[in-house]
Amino acid sequence: MTSRKVLGGERISPEEALILLESESLSTLGVMADLVRRRLHTDGVVTYIIDRNVNYTNVCNAFCSFCAFYRQPGHDEGYVLPVEEIEKKIAETYELGGNQILLQGGHNPKLKIEYYEDLFSRLKQRFPDLWLHALSAPEVIHIHKVSRITVAETLRRLCAAGLDSLPGGGAEILVDDVRKRLMKNKASGSEWLDVHEEAHRTGMRSTATMMFGHIESRADRIEHLRMLRDLQDRTGGFTAFIGWTFQPGNTELGGQEATTAEYLRTMAVARVFLDNIRNIQASWVTQGPKVGAASLAFGVNDMGSTMIEENVVSAAGTVNHMNEPEIVAAVKDAGLIPMRRNMLYERLGAPLHA
Ligand code: SF4
């Protein structure tokens, strides 16, 4: 019944998605997800973006037990990057053909809205066509609280200073019962959704994410996807969904990483269930290049970023690299066509370095 719905292009319910995730064979899930990918991307193009992650501060008072990256306020390893260093990183990104940075950091109690306004406007002055994909929804909530202004005002001022789009980080699992057990002081599920809804209302686009394979149940994962699909029905503002597995190394939470099969099953079900989100992105950063490439047979149509720099996943001891020629080769090996894109998923052309 569910497979007939998928074949016919009908929407499946959360209950049906859970049955697929729990009971369907991996190979059948791959066939279903691949069918949906082909239907949405008829020309066989797989996209990627040349950009860089810049983590402007690691000081954070959210205390997420799954995070190996942060340092609590006052810790001697805490940092705030000097603006000159951020500019240098951006200049290096331009040299490699990219004009976007993904700028994210901890919830640093010393950084208020004026810090971001000064930083963004200075970066935009120096690099007028820079695309600032910056600040997760929980960072926006944090800035609104420490600056004592509304969320709408926070977003308005950030946009006026140069913010172009919001990354989907900080969603983890949006079910609050799970969040309460994972983090002490971070935005709730509804706050995460509200920030994205407000951003979409102002015309800004964002991405949606899910970090899974820790303490959540499979039903929690489906409930998370349902919340994303419902919001997308209302706004249409998400450009892509990105899922990855919890990396336990060096974290307080610890435990085992989810298996490759579990990652692929979840991504395939997400592809089928999220019928209103056009793009599904691989997470080769957490899964490694081979599994990242394999996910192209499980509904994925985007290889994400060349990620010239990455600090958060590597803090957990997981270090994977894929430069542009390696991404291009992986896509071609899968019998698909690699193409560069921007954050809006507009195609920019053939690879620069193949
Ligand atoms: S995941 Fe983000 S919010 Fe949570 S502790 Fe790490 S840096 Fe802070």
Side-chain angles (χ1 to χ4, degrees):
M1 176 63 184
T2 308
S3 53
R4 214 175 310 134
K5 273 190 170 177
V6 176
L7 280 174
E10 261 184 78
R11 173 167 277 197
I12 66 167
S13 68
E15 295 74 25
E16 289 166 329
L18 184 57
I19 292 169
L20 285 182
L21 185 57
E22 292 197 316
S23 319
E24 194 49 89
S25 71
L26 179 61
S27 55
T28 302
L29 289 177
V31 170
M32 283 183 181
D34 198 48
L35 177 88
V36 176
R37 178 191 63 79
R38 284 167 191 262
R39 198 184 280 144
L40 286 166
H41 305 277
T42 50
D43 56 6
V45 165
V46 169
T47 47
Y48 64 92
I49 185 165
I50 299 172
D51 80 346
R52 172 172 201 154
N53 281 14
V54 178
N55 300 110
Y56 60 95
T57 182
N58 67 345
V59 177
C60 188
N61 62 11
F63 306 112
C64 303
S65 61
F66 55 83
C67 177
F69 166 73
Y70 82 94
R71 295 293 179 269
Q72 60 186 22
H75 194 288
D76 57 11
E77 289 172 9
Y79 71 77
V80 177
L81 287 183
V83 66
E84 295 76 18
E85 201 168 321
I86 298 177
E87 287 178 337
K88 191 165 154 263
K89 289 170 185 287
I90 295 172
E92 287 166 3
T93 309
Y94 272 76
E95 277 164 28
L96 287 167
N99 72 333
Q100 171 175 299
I101 56 162
L102 193 162
L103 185 77
Q104 285 186 308
H107 299 186
N108 187 327
K110 289 203 175 142
L111 304 182
K112 298 190 178 159
I113 185 82
E114 291 79 11
Y115 164 83
Y116 298 92
E117 288 179 314
D118 290 348
L119 175 65
F120 290 2
S121 39
R122 176 162 166 177
L123 296 180
K124 283 294 176 108
Q125 251 170 22
R126 167 94 194 267
F127 305 96
D129 71 336
L130 173 70
W131 187 279
L132 267 176
H133 188 46
L135 305 178
S136 64
E139 284 172 273
V140 173
I141 294 284
H142 170 75
I143 297 164
H144 120 78
K145 285 183 178 160
V146 293
S147 310
R148 297 172 185 270
I149 52 176
T150 64
V151 171
E153 176 72 0
T154 308
L155 281 171
R156 192 195 61 70
R157 287 176 62 173
L158 292 170
C159 281
L163 177 65
D164 292 301
S165 56
L166 275 189
E172 333 305 355
I173 292 287
L174 290 168
V175 177
D176 278 329
D177 180 47
V178 176
R179 296 181 82 74
K180 279 185 201 136
R181 289 188 282 141
L182 283 176
M183 47 194 103
K184 286 200 186 102
N185 185 24
K186 194 162 169 175
S188 66
S190 56
E191 283 177 320
W192 189 97
L193 291 161
D194 287 349
V195 168
H196 283 264
E197 185 151 11
E198 180 67 30
H200 295 171
R201 231 195 322 265
T202 65
M204 198 189 291
R205 309 298 298 276
S206 69
T207 54
T209 66
M210 176 167 76
M211 183 195 69
F212 58 95
H214 36 87
I215 59 167
E216 90 292 353
S217 65
R218 284 169 165 167
D220 291 326
R221 278 181 226 165
I222 299 299
E223 175 59 5
H224 175 103
L225 296 177
R226 182 199 64 74
M227 291 188 219
L228 296 179
R229 190 170 79 174
D230 285 358
L231 175 53
Q232 183 75 338
D233 277 344
R234 293 200 295 280
T235 66
F238 290 127
T239 56
F241 169 79
I242 310 129
W244 65 88
T245 57
F246 164 55
Q247 302 299 301
N250 303 325
T251 66
E252 183 193 330
L253 185 60
Q256 293 293 314
E257 189 183 348
T259 62
T260 296
E262 192 64 25
Y263 168 71
L264 294 174
R265 297 180 71 79
T266 305
M267 295 307 287
V269 172
R271 173 60 291 169
V272 171
F273 184 77
L274 296 173
D275 57 354
N276 54 4
I277 299 184
R278 193 170 156 73
N279 301 294
I280 304 283
Q281 195 180 114
S283 179
W284 57 260
V285 178
T286 56
Q287 309 305 309
K290 289 182 180 169
V291 177
S295 68
L296 293 171
F298 289 81
V300 162
N301 69 288
D302 185 86
M303 288 295 280
S305 159
T306 49
M307 219 163 285
I308 300 158
E309 174 180 351
E310 197 288 323
N311 305 298
V312 177
V313 173
S314 55
T318 305
V319 183
N320 290 304
H321 296 287
M322 277 187 103
N323 58 24
E324 191 183 13
E326 286 164 334
I327 287 178
V328 168
V331 173
K332 285 185 176 167
D333 283 350
L336 297 162
I337 304 158
M339 208 168 275
R340 287 176 295 122
R341 65 157 172 91
N342 59 19
M343 185 275 161
L344 300 173
Y345 281 77
E346 293 162 342
R347 294 175 181 182
L348 302 180
L352 292 176
H353 311 97

